[in-house]
Amino acid sequence: MSVITWIFLGLIGFYTAMLLYLWAFQRGLIYRPDPLRPISSPYAHHGLSEVKIKTKDSLDLLAWWFPPKESQAPVILYLHGNAGNLGFRADKIAPYLERGFGVLLLAWRGYSGNPGRPSESGLYEDGEAGLRWLQSKGIYQNRTILYGESLGSGVAVELASKGFGSALILEAPFSSLPDAAQAHYPFFPAYWLVEERYNSEGKIPLVRIPVLVGHGKKDTVIPYRLASKLFNAANEPKEFLTYSDAGHNNLYDYGWGQGVIRFLEKNLSAN
């Protein structure tokens, strides 16, 4: 065989090996948990208490509970992204605590010292378990805000599409996980390789509560166009806050927290 043929066969072999790698190790690319239990003591002045959330499959999940300042104030169920632990999000929720909102900051299975292994169906159950815990405290639909950060946006949309929540807040969301995978691996059929779907674009037309989307134009993790695609599929009332210089993890540096509060004050008072 000629040198060109050997090169061609080598390229085919490399491509096939990469294809198999992406398929076999996709779960490790999607979920990147920090298994260490975070330290909550630095946030005790906010009234934080560590609580256990029981799932239907008998897992006890760690969550940080920040009660609202007033008994009828809104409460945010904060569903975090695919990496790190609860401690990475504590500073993000500061604007909401200062405004007097309550926050339940939930850690996924396999994250923050929790048992279990993350999966799409598992995270959906974790989110529903968080809602059940809030309901056990007398906090029902009219006071519950669903907040999804990055991967957590897929869970927030899932819950909202089932009729939960009074508002839906999406920080750096995607239209679907296959769309995000294809954007990262454009030379592979990544869209069809991904087993976890998180099809938010297909579910968000079922959402009948106010929707706020925030995204940075310089986001290299989830392209801006995927958030725009999701937003276009949503029903009114909805709002899209664009941050020209923001990336994936720094929307709060550009005023996102204040934007969320303005949106909630406007839409919750209107209901």
Side-chain angles (χ1 to χ4, degrees):
M1 289 188 290
S2 68
V3 173
I4 293 177
T5 301
W6 278 112
I7 292 174
F8 177 76
L9 291 174
L11 290 173
I12 292 294
F14 176 76
Y15 184 88
T16 303
M18 285 297 298
L19 204 61
L20 290 172
Y21 173 83
L22 292 175
W23 175 78
F25 295 99
Q26 60 181 275
R27 192 174 294 273
L29 298 172
I30 297 169
Y31 304 107
R32 307 189 67 180
D34 181 345
L36 297 178
R37 185 184 181 94
I39 299 172
S40 61
S41 55
Y43 309 100
H45 63 285
H46 287 298
L48 178 154
S49 59
E50 293 190 359
V51 299
K52 289 291 185 181
I53 308 292
K54 176 74 74 174
T55 67
K56 285 184 177 178
D57 52 347
S58 300
L59 297 179
D60 287 322
L61 303 181
L62 171 68
W64 287 358
W65 169 234
F66 301 83
K69 290 183 178 178
E70 298 180 3
S71 61
Q72 295 305 307
V75 172
I76 295 171
L77 175 59
Y78 193 110
L79 306 168
H80 69 71
N82 77 322
N85 61 42
L86 292 187
F88 289 66
R89 279 81 193 182
D91 291 336
K92 285 188 171 187
I93 66 174
Y96 314 127
L97 301 179
E98 291 169 3
R99 178 60 182 79
F101 297 163
V103 177
L104 181 63
L105 186 51
L106 175 66
W108 303 124
R109 58 186 64 204
Y111 288 74
S112 297
N114 283 336
R117 185 167 178 254
S119 68
E120 182 176 4
S121 61
L123 265 60
Y124 291 161
E125 165 52 27
D126 296 349
E128 290 196 25
L131 287 173
R132 289 193 298 270
W133 188 89
L134 289 174
Q135 290 168 3
S136 74
K137 301 298 180 183
I139 300 165
Y140 297 103
Q141 302 293 84
N142 64 324
R143 292 177 56 205
T144 303
I145 312 303
L146 298 173
Y147 186 113
E149 169 207 311
S150 191
L151 182 67
S153 70
V155 182
V157 172
E158 164 75 7
L159 298 178
S161 72
K162 291 184 173 181
F164 295 112
S166 59
L168 177 62
I169 311 298
L170 302 175
E171 176 194 343
F174 49 79
S175 48
S176 72
L177 198 59
D179 281 347
Q182 193 62 61
H184 274 276
Y185 303 100
F187 300 108
F188 298 92
Y191 186 95
W192 305 107
L193 291 175
V194 178
E195 296 173 355
E196 310 269 76
R197 308 305 284 181
Y198 292 98
N199 183 18
S200 295
E201 183 186 9
K203 296 172 185 175
I204 205 165
L206 302 174
V207 174
R208 302 297 176 185
I209 55 177
V211 177
L212 174 65
V213 174
H215 214 89
K217 279 286 189 73
K218 294 183 179 179
D219 191 329
T220 59
V221 177
I222 298 175
Y224 178 85
R225 60 183 172 80
L226 299 188
S228 182
K229 187 180 180 185
L230 178 64
F231 177 80
N232 290 337
N235 297 304
E236 297 285 353
K238 60 183 178 179
E239 187 175 342
F240 196 150
L241 299 181
T242 296
Y243 301 93
S244 298
D245 295 323
H248 187 66
N249 295 310
N250 62 345
L251 266 59
Y252 282 85
D253 294 342
Y254 295 89
W256 166 244
Q258 289 69 36
V260 171
I261 291 171
R262 285 194 299 270
F263 178 84
L264 292 177
E265 290 177 339
K266 172 185 174 183
N267 286 279
L268 295 185
S269 62
N271 291 336

